[in-house]
Amino acid sequence: MAWRAWARSPWGCGSPAWGAPGAQGRELCAGRAPTLLLSPRFNFFIQSKNGFRKAPRKVEPRRPDGGIVGENYKRSALTPPVEETVFYSSPYPIRNLVKPLFFTVGFTGCAFGSAAIWQYEALKSRVQSYFDGVKADWFDSITPQKEGDFRKRVNKWWNTLTDGQRTVTGIIAANVFVFCLWRVPSLQRSMIKYFTSSPASKALCSPMLLSTFSHFSLFHMMANMYVLWSFSTSIVSILGKEQFVAVYLSAGVISTFVSYVSKVITGRFGPSLGASGAIMTVLAAVCTKIPEGKLAIIFLPMFTFTAGNALKAIIAMDTAGVILGWKFFDHAAHLGGAFFGMWYVTYGHELIWKNREPLVKIWHEIRTNSPRKGGGSE
């Protein structure tokens, strides 16, 4: 399913960011509209050494390169090249979720704490760069400029990006890098262990974060990254880049934990991967902040509806998927990301981000009283 969403700002119209005081009910800017492609966290089933019983299957002759000879050796491009397995319900107790729960809480706290320190250092560096600006301008005026058309083009392109687009560039690059790692045959076993999430896996905690950057299908990755790129300007304008990074990383872990809980309750332990849980947080946050924003289906632009109604429809679909046991999408992760995004822009910002001052003061004291070069401190 694909959607097109836009508004006068900040999606390419040059006016102040959504979420600013008094910003309500912005009209459409149909000329430069980002596209909302809702893509799933794909569920797939793989062979795993975690007590799963392999379903009886016909033994196929092997090719010299290790492949199977015959017409049955046809695999979807959406799943990793591993033997498929039928998963049976196993008695995984709720207590197995204790460790992922502590990891979720601890990682979320560290993410927001690091973001607060990052913002402090950025502000301090910005003040320092102001005084260094005059010196830098004078130095550039007496030194010859470096030549190179490619470098000039890259700098020109980079300067045209918004703060949000610059912020998500690193996230997109990380996803592309992990996508390339999936193509290395010798890394397949490690990728399945650490870059797919399942409560039945031996590695429980690290995949909760790493699977957020993991895509095996090119279409899956492109759809998710396009949505992130399209809404990056809006969400960063609302939260700021430091807070956005903390929310995005936390959303990936939180949505995976919700997926763990759902899988333990239902007894379906198929591993999942993809950034859709975190991206659902971004979409839900923007739709909650600007519920009057107009959306339209990408192939049917004549039909429009509000962002608030679109969010309700998405939540209804994922809720039905969880209840009815649809297996192609990780609907539980979608719901976890959506509810976290709605909660954060409504209450979480006030409860978490605006109470970061004690931590910043402690960090300031550490920086101020740290030993200086030559010994001693002030």
Side-chain angles (χ1 to χ4, degrees):
M1 183 180 296
W3 304 85
R4 182 180 292 271
W6 63 87
R8 178 170 297 170
S9 79
W11 291 341
C13 300
S15 54
W18 277 352
Q24 297 292 336
R26 303 301 178 91
E27 297 179 356
L28 300 182
C29 178
R32 302 174 63 184
T35 303
L36 168 57
L37 289 171
L38 300 183
S39 59
R41 272 178 71 97
F42 287 98
N43 259 352
F44 57 89
F45 301 105
I46 61 174
Q47 182 177 356
S48 178
K49 298 179 181 179
N50 297 293
F52 299 140
R53 295 178 295 169
K54 186 184 299 183
R57 61 185 178 88
K58 181 179 178 181
V59 178
E60 299 285 351
R62 298 277 178 172
R63 297 199 306 260
D65 60 357
I68 301 176
V69 177
E71 296 180 357
N72 292 333
Y73 189 67
K74 294 180 180 180
R75 193 174 304 279
S76 170
L78 301 179
T79 59
V82 294
E83 296 182 8
E84 296 192 9
T85 302
V86 176
F87 289 86
Y88 299 91
S89 298
S90 301
Y92 283 90
I94 299 296
R95 65 173 178 269
N96 283 12
L97 296 175
V98 173
K99 187 176 180 181
L101 175 61
F102 278 103
F103 176 80
T104 301
V105 175
F107 179 84
T108 301
C110 291
F112 280 96
S114 300
I117 295 174
W118 177 18
Q119 186 184 64
Y120 167 86
E121 293 293 338
L123 292 174
K124 186 176 181 180
S125 176
R126 193 175 304 169
V127 173
Q128 183 64 34
S129 63
Y130 173 79
F131 294 102
D132 294 340
V134 177
K135 181 180 178 180
D137 292 339
W138 174 82
F139 182 77
D140 291 339
S141 63
I142 63 175
T143 55
Q145 298 295 322
K146 294 183 179 180
E147 298 181 356
D149 292 337
F150 177 77
R151 181 172 180 177
K152 291 180 180 179
R153 290 177 182 177
V154 171
N155 291 334
K156 183 177 180 180
W157 170 78
W158 182 258
N159 292 331
T160 61
L161 300 181
T162 64
D163 289 340
Q165 291 171 338
R166 294 176 185 175
T167 302
V168 301
T169 299
I171 297 176
I172 295 175
N175 280 269
V176 173
F177 177 72
V178 175
F179 174 79
C180 294
L181 292 181
W182 274 107
R183 268 57 200 169
V184 181
S186 60
L187 297 178
Q188 290 294 306
R189 183 171 298 180
S190 297
M191 296 299 294
I192 293 169
K193 181 178 180 181
Y194 294 106
F195 287 85
T196 64
S197 60
S198 172
S201 175
K202 292 182 180 179
L204 287 176
C205 295
S206 56
M208 297 177 70
L209 175 64
L210 297 179
S211 65
T212 306
F213 297 88
S214 178
H215 300 83
F216 183 80
S217 165
L218 178 61
F219 173 78
H220 187 199
M221 182 189 68
M222 291 180 64
N224 278 339
M225 296 302 101
Y226 186 74
V227 174
L228 180 62
W229 179 268
S230 299
F231 288 90
S232 60
T233 302
S234 302
I235 192 65
V236 172
S237 297
I238 294 171
L239 302 177
K241 64 179 181 180
E242 298 88 2
Q243 187 179 187
F244 159 73
V245 172
V247 169
Y248 184 86
L249 296 179
S250 300
V253 175
I254 291 171
S255 62
T256 304
F257 178 75
V258 174
S259 175
Y260 277 9
V261 174
S262 176
K263 290 174 181 178
V264 168
I265 293 175
T266 60
R268 303 186 185 99
F269 302 104
S272 304
L273 78 170
S276 299
I279 292 176
M280 279 298 297
T281 297
V282 174
L283 299 181
V286 173
C287 290
T288 301
K289 199 70 175 179
I290 312 295
E292 298 85 3
K294 295 294 183 179
L295 305 179
I297 300 176
I298 184 172
F299 297 113
L300 299 172
M302 68 289 298
F303 299 106
T304 61
F305 41 86
T306 64
N309 290 335
L311 181 60
K312 294 176 183 177
I314 294 170
I315 293 176
M317 182 188 69
D318 286 322
T319 302
V322 172
I323 295 175
L324 299 178
W326 297 344
K327 299 179 180 179
F328 191 69
F329 301 161
D330 193 340
H331 295 282
H334 286 188
L335 287 176
F339 285 127
F340 176 66
M342 295 167 59
W343 173 84
Y344 188 83
V345 296
T346 306
Y347 306 106
H349 176 77
E350 298 288 336
L351 295 175
I352 299 177
W353 191 249
K354 288 193 174 181
N355 291 322
R356 69 190 185 280
E357 184 177 356
L359 175 62
V360 175
K361 286 184 177 180
I362 294 174
W363 180 255
H364 176 73
E365 292 295 329
I366 294 175
R367 288 295 306 270
T368 304
N369 298 327
S370 59
R372 300 182 180 272
K373 293 183 179 180
S377 60
E378 294 181 1

